[in-house]
Amino acid sequence: MQSHANSARLFAEALRVIPGGVNSPVRAFKSVGGDPLFMQRGEGPYIFDVDGNRYIDHVMSWGPLIFGHAPPQILAAITEAAARGTSFGASTEAEVRLAQKIVAAVPSVEKVRLVSSGTEAVMSAVRVARGFTRRDKIIKFEGNYHGHSDGFLAKAGSGLTTFDLPDSAGVPKNLTLDTLTLPYNDAEAFRDAMRAHPREIACVMLEAVAGNMGVVTPRADFLHALRELTTADGTLLLFDEVITGFRLAYGGAQELLGVTPDLTALGKIIGGGLPLAAYGGRADIMDTVAPVGPVYQAGTLSGNPLAVAAGLAQLTLLEQHKDTLYTKMHCQMHALAQSTKEAAARAGVPIRINRVGSMMTVFFTESKVTDFTTAKTADAARYGAYFRALLERGVYIAPSQFEALFLSMAHTDDILAETAAAIAEALHVVA
Ligand SMILES: *Cc1c(COP(=O)(O)O)cnc(C)c1O
């Protein structure tokens, strides 16, 4: 029997000085029940809480840790960088090297700007799209999450879905008037919207493979319509690859899907576990950013030496192993999905599994999940029970139905067999 006494004590203290006791809402475990865990350290595929409990980690900091916790090469890079000084507010060689790596890897990116969070990356990319096209309106899709900046919070995924919030308070109405929100995977609705707003849409933004309403894959005809109609109308196509960049393939979802956007937002993996993100795209578009062009975007800690060192080390490792690593994780996740499906059938629990590469979501629903509406048919209460049953068995998954389960290179076949066994038991518990 696990004790969570130290976590509970810290949570009580946290509640007095931090809203909800957490610095990001989903961490509060509200939708799965129980008090949040306070973590002490991570090692490879494992995370340890402050009560000394060890869990196989399938959250992996929500995506960044593709080589597991504290991989030696990345630690060494951070330590070396820290010894030389933690921030200069001036240019460094490593920033150039990281930018070169991103440009070489991601098909759509000819020039790239480094920022500190995914929110900042998407927000800046949209500003560039508006500045470049001299249009105000944007299109986004239900259930896609693009960070917490004002204009993007209508029917967004991730924490808003977890807490069933249609949007956020504190966002002035006139700020979202220019945001059109359409159903994901609906080429017809998209066609209608483009027809209704000719030469008015600055950009169409989407998670090319969605991860924040749980994993949802794009239909080929949907992606095709997006690329074709945006090009025809002078609208920019923006892929939010904050999760999928360097995860689904070395060149991200765009490499996997064979669709090249005009702008791309990156985050999570490119920071190697430190706060780093980026936005980039066609050179002529990116050259609207100051000091070359009129679109202003800046950051005191942008291109921070520690974050850049971690990101560079992580991308260097990925590049070295890219011919085998993506296939390996894909096969491992396929096997985990297969065993989960079989266990659910044995337990008589209806589930739907969506999986791409090293991302997967087990939806507790009978209906096929292709968009936000179908994702929300999932039984979040049953997911909560499943989460708690897994936690008791030493497996830590996202404390929300509407997120992805991740793999890392530190998850060996033996460890995944342990996860699979715990999943089979947990499915019996929730049957
Ligand atoms: C995580 C995420 C963001 C926001 O990134 P932060 O670093 O949390 O600000 C934006 N878009 C997508 C697709 C994400 O998954």
Side-chain angles (χ1 to χ4, degrees), residues 77-136:
I78 297 170
T79 314
E80 276 165 34
R84 289 192 297 269
T86 55
S87 185
F88 309 124
S91 298
T92 60
E93 177 178 348
E95 288 168 77
V96 185
R97 302 292 165 238
L98 181 58
Q100 286 168 335
K101 267 212 190 308
I102 294 171
V103 167
V106 185
S108 67
V109 176
E110 294 172 353
K111 284 193 178 180
V112 62
R113 238 320 147 75
L114 302 182
V115 293
S116 300
S117 73
T119 294
E120 211 188 340
V122 185
M123 183 186 83
S124 309
V126 169
R127 187 179 301 149
V128 167
R130 284 173 161 151
F132 180 80
T133 58
R134 300 184 176 280
R135 302 174 184 178
D136 289 341

Side-chain angles (χ1 to χ4, degrees), residues 163-312:
F163 301 120
D164 207 18
L165 302 171
D167 47 34
S168 169
V171 178
K173 264 215 171 53
N174 61 7
L175 262 177
T176 50
L177 286 180
D178 285 325
T179 307
L180 306 178
T181 306
L182 303 176
Y184 194 80
N185 262 334
D186 188 339
E188 231 12 82
F190 176 67
R191 229 171 250 123
D192 291 345
M194 290 300 283
R195 231 178 265 131
H197 300 281
R199 311 205 67 75
E200 285 179 37
I201 312 291
C203 77
V204 175
M205 66 202 288
L206 86 159
E207 292 185 67
V209 170
N212 287 292
M213 50 179 151
V215 174
V216 175
T217 53
R219 287 199 189 106
D221 70 313
F222 175 64
L223 280 181
H224 187 73
L226 293 186
R227 183 62 284 183
E228 195 174 44
L229 299 184
T230 49
T231 304
D233 198 55
T235 299
L236 301 183
L237 182 58
L238 163 60
F239 277 9
D240 180 347
E241 294 228 41
V242 172
I243 288 188
T244 55
F246 293 93
R247 173 166 291 279
L248 297 185
Y250 189 64
Q254 54 198 271
E255 178 189 315
L256 191 74
L257 300 166
V259 176
T260 306
D262 304 296
L263 287 166
T264 299
L266 297 162
K268 297 194 168 112
I269 283 182
I270 67 162
L274 269 74
L276 180 88
Y279 66 101
R282 264 169 38 207
D284 61 323
I285 301 171
M286 288 303 290
D287 279 340
T288 57
V289 179
V292 191
V295 173
Y296 196 71
Q297 181 271 311
T300 302
L301 293 178
S302 288
N304 172 263
L306 265 57
V308 168
L312 196 53

